[in-house]
Amino acid sequence: MRIAAYIGLGVLGAVGGIAGSLIQAGWSPLGLLLSLAGAAALFLGGALLTRSRAGVGAPAAGWVLAVLALTGSRPQGDFIFATGATSYIFLLGGMVLAGVCWALAPVGRPMFWVPPERLPGPRR
């Protein structure tokens, strides 16, 4: 079951990378923020779903593979990423967000864990 979740997250990461690539240039400056927020939500959501760092790695790998596949130009001269700051911010920002989400992944504790000293009521 876990392997199916990782495969599904990888596919979602690829779809998110393709969608973000199209949105980031189409709706200049808001599209960039929306696409990076979507990538961060996907990465962190994968970590919360699987409770592991591999939950960040699977969608991040799909995202990176899809985005890097779209960086090349075709023989006809068509391309997705124009030369400009927003394209570079999207490419590098998504990779940085994947690293940050990997580092902050909540591993080794339940989803709604509260330290005992923060629980209300008398202490034992």
Side-chain angles (χ1 to χ4, degrees):
M1 188 66 179
R2 230 181 218 297
I3 293 174
Y6 292 139
I7 291 171
L9 285 170
V11 170
L12 277 175
V15 170
I18 293 168
S21 299
L22 297 173
I23 290 172
Q24 61 91 20
W27 297 339
S28 187
L30 187 60
L32 176 65
L33 296 174
L34 181 65
S35 61
L36 287 177
L42 181 63
F43 302 151
L44 196 56
L48 290 173
L49 179 69
T50 61
R51 306 306 294 170
S52 67
R53 287 196 168 103
V56 176
W63 187 90
V64 167
L65 289 175
V67 168
L68 289 180
L70 292 174
T71 58
S73 62
R74 297 179 31 175
Q76 295 85 3
D78 300 336
F79 57 89
I80 298 288
F81 292 103
T83 304
T86 58
S87 296
Y88 294 124
I89 291 171
F90 174 71
L91 292 170
L92 295 176
M95 293 179 198
V96 167
L97 281 173
V100 168
C101 290
W102 182 83
L104 297 177
V107 187
R109 57 185 157 98
M111 186 174 291
F112 298 109
W113 183 75
V114 177
E117 61 269 5
R118 291 195 172 204
L119 290 174
R123 299 185 189 205
R124 297 180 197 182

